[in-house]
Amino acid sequence: MTGFNTTIIHTQATKKDVYGALHVPIYGCASFEFDSAENIELAFNGKKLAHSYSRITNPTVEHLENKIRKVTGAIGTLALSSGMAAIANLILAIAGKGDNIITSKYLFGNTYGLFDKTLKSWGLETRYVNFANMQSLEKKIDKRTRGIFLESITNPALQVADLRKISQVAKKRNVLLIVDSTATPLYFAKLQELGVNVEVISSTKYISGGATSIGGLIIDHGTFDWSQIAAMYDSARKFGPNTLLHKLRTEVFRNIGACLSPHNAYLQSLGLDTLGLRIEKSCRNTLDIAQFLKKQQKVKQVNYPGLKDSENFQIITSQFNGLGGSILTFKLDNKQDCFSFMNKLGIIRRATNIHDNKSLIIHPASTIFCEYDDELKKEMGIPDTLLRLSVGIEDVEDLIEDISMALGEL
Ligand SMILES: *Cc1c(COP(=O)(O)O)cnc(C)c1O
């Protein structure tokens, strides 16, 4: 098999373009016609593969899915309208009333809200653990546990879980291991080799190629035995490893309708072509900035998993090929200093979002976590002296000069 970049860039379209176009075009239509009543019957009965309606499948969206399937070796991929749609569709497909999901409190804010509010009101229980403690993880698993869900690098605490260890527990107890790999998508590692069954990704972030569009992905590595779950048993006998994707495509995803628009699929397909390059550059920049910040007197503490003295360095090396990601956090003396620092920056932008081509800074305690009380913020590791920097692909000397100037004026 060819390398990561070659595979992504040269994945062929399902059908040859009539003009020989080298990018699969944007098929911006809702519906597709058939040349006979017989063929439309075959398509609707799943006996002939054809696009009929863009909420269900669309050629531009399918091409994005094919690129991801090829480069990951997954059995199937589903592209959706957002990262949240990917997570919600997946959980709704695997769990119901009375079931439970195990996760930690170090979650993307809206994911936490989905578990703690939205799904709770439908009778799904969420159990919170510390993923560094395998015994407590195993103790929380019972007959109604339908999944273990965690983020590959948490944000903004930047914790990195040991996926090999967690997957051993998941496998032993026949529980689906789901990883939100938004912070370490595709290029960082082949997560199926670390024992992950299903990945979800907000393609809004790294993949879109500069925050051009909102999107989400479900990637099924096809390694889970669905016949172990009573509610899935009949389906598992028919569809084997494709049980989850079949349920999503013919039921949950189709009925909820959170499909990716062909325009956004096109942007994200272009973004994918340069994903490897952008990850290399932004991780390199982040390491350089982390090393610079560590030497500054006004900076109290720097957290970046790619730093040699980080408690996560070992796991970053063995799990993610030494790539520490493109987010770092650091602390200043007090909240006022954080605000003044942000306001003095000239190149780095004050904005939420992560993994843009542009470097972005935010004060998490007063923004992303503003709805949470002080105790929960403390539990989540969000003091008001903390700043989060998502590093882009600019020239790093310019970023360091911007930071240096703003620190100098404090
Ligand atoms: C942004 C993000 C999401 C949600 O994705 P959207 O595309 O904004 O819906 C989920 N998980 C993580 C880790 C994220 O960073």
Side-chain angles (χ1 to χ4, degrees):
M1 185 175 155
T2 50
F4 183 91
N5 297 303
T6 314
T7 305
I8 288 256
I9 291 168
H10 290 286
T11 299
Q12 298 281 344
T14 310
K15 283 194 180 172
K16 198 166 165 49
D17 183 73
V18 286
Y19 296 107
L22 278 171
H23 281 298
V24 171
I26 302 171
Y27 285 89
C29 55
S31 156
F32 302 81
E33 70 171 342
F34 288 78
D35 56 8
S36 70
E38 287 75 15
N39 279 338
I40 199 166
E41 181 187 29
L42 289 174
F44 270 72
N45 287 280
K47 297 198 173 109
K48 190 180 159 82
L49 280 181
H51 300 286
S52 61
Y53 191 66
S54 287
R55 170 161 46 72
I56 300 164
T57 61
N58 170 280
T60 316
V61 178
E62 180 186 62
H63 184 57
L64 173 71
E65 292 168 343
N66 285 345
K67 284 168 93 161
I68 288 166
R69 189 170 46 77
K70 267 206 108 168
V71 83
T72 56
I75 60 162
T77 302
L78 189 59
L80 301 94
S81 59
S82 69
M84 287 319 302
I87 297 169
N89 272 259
L90 175 63
I91 301 296
L92 290 173
I94 61 165
K97 191 172 171 188
D99 290 336
N100 67 73
I101 298 286
I102 298 177
T103 187
S104 88
K105 286 202 171 159
Y106 292 93
L107 285 177
F108 177 70
N110 296 149
T111 308
Y112 181 72
L114 177 73
F115 285 126
D116 193 57
K117 291 205 176 88
T118 317
L119 294 174
K120 190 176 179 181
S121 70
W122 291 91
L124 182 77
E125 185 199 346
T126 305
R127 300 179 174 177
Y128 299 98
V129 293
N130 171 358
F131 281 113
N133 183 341
M134 295 303 136
Q135 278 163 345
S136 86
L137 168 61
E138 198 165 351
K139 267 200 209 133
K140 294 264 182 188
I141 298 174
D142 65 15
K143 273 196 278 192
R144 300 299 297 269
T145 303
R146 290 290 165 264
I148 296 172
F149 180 100
L150 69 146
E151 295 177 8
S152 57
I153 301 183
T154 68
N155 161 22
L158 306 180
Q159 293 182 336
V160 191
D162 187 332
L163 297 177
R164 287 188 185 91
K165 273 196 193 153
I166 294 169
S167 75
Q168 280 168 9
V169 176
K171 198 158 183 203
K172 180 172 150 205
R173 303 293 301 270
N174 282 315
V175 177
L176 187 74
L177 178 58
I178 307 158
V179 170
D180 178 337
S181 55
T182 300
T184 58
L186 316 181
Y187 183 79
F188 284 75
K190 281 198 171 323
L191 292 197
Q192 69 269 44
E193 289 171 6
L194 304 175
V196 174
N197 302 119
V198 178
E199 278 176 74
V200 288
I201 297 180
S202 166
S203 49
T204 313
K205 312 289 165 55
Y206 255 133
I207 291 175
S208 78
T212 58
S213 48
I214 303 276
L217 299 163
I218 297 173
I219 303 172
D220 187 351
H221 295 299
T223 49
F224 189 71
D225 179 4
W226 295 101
S227 68
Q228 302 286 335
I229 311 288
M232 301 281 219
Y233 184 77
D234 290 340
S235 181
R237 296 216 26 182
K238 262 200 212 151
F239 304 108
N242 287 304
T243 299
L244 173 66
L245 284 160
H246 183 266
K247 178 155 186 176
L248 283 161
R249 288 228 182 251
T250 60
E251 189 197 319
V252 181
F253 169 73
R254 187 156 83 179
N255 296 346
I256 289 178
C259 57
L260 183 65
S261 82
H263 293 77
N264 287 352
Y266 181 76
L267 290 172
Q268 302 197 359
S269 186
L270 296 183
L272 264 185
D273 291 353
T274 56
L275 181 69
L277 281 179
R278 290 182 290 108
I279 286 174
E280 288 285 351
K281 175 68 174 159
S282 62
C283 290
R284 180 76 237 168
N285 280 357
T286 316
L287 180 60
D288 288 351
I289 293 172
Q291 283 165 344
F292 170 81
L293 286 171
K294 271 195 79 105
K295 287 187 250 151
Q296 307 308 307
Q297 244 190 345
K298 288 176 187 160
V299 176
K300 304 294 165 219
Q301 198 185 328
V302 183
N303 185 8
Y304 179 57
L307 281 172
K308 276 215 170 71
D309 59 1
S310 159
E311 56 178 14
N312 290 306
F313 185 73
Q314 210 54 40
I315 191 75
I316 283 291
T317 309
S318 76
Q319 201 162 270
F320 296 132
N321 296 312
L323 294 164
S326 62
I327 299 178
L328 63 78
T329 63
F330 59 100
K331 288 182 188 162
L332 297 177
D333 202 41
N334 53 58
K335 180 179 170 186
Q336 191 47 51
D337 275 3
C338 291
F339 276 34
S340 308
F341 175 81
M342 285 179 70
N343 292 338
K344 289 188 173 101
L345 291 167
I347 294 174
I348 297 167
R349 311 292 183 96
R350 293 166 288 273
T352 187
N353 201 21
I354 47 177
H355 311 308
D356 192 342
N357 291 340
K358 299 179 176 76
S359 295
L360 308 175
I361 194 158
I362 200 159
H363 180 255
S366 63
T367 55
I368 309 167
F369 295 91
C370 67
E371 287 171 20
Y372 299 35
D373 60 41
D374 287 348
E375 200 176 324
L376 191 53
K377 274 192 244 189
K378 204 170 162 200
E379 208 178 311
M380 292 175 139
I382 324 283
D384 67 3
T385 51
L386 186 83
L387 286 169
R388 180 189 79 186
L389 181 64
S390 171
V391 180
I393 58 171
E394 302 97 329
D395 302 295
V396 75
E397 309 77 51
D398 296 327
L399 297 174
I400 288 176
E401 195 178 308
D402 201 27
I403 293 169
S404 177
M405 178 271 302
L407 276 178
E409 289 183 24
L410 284 188

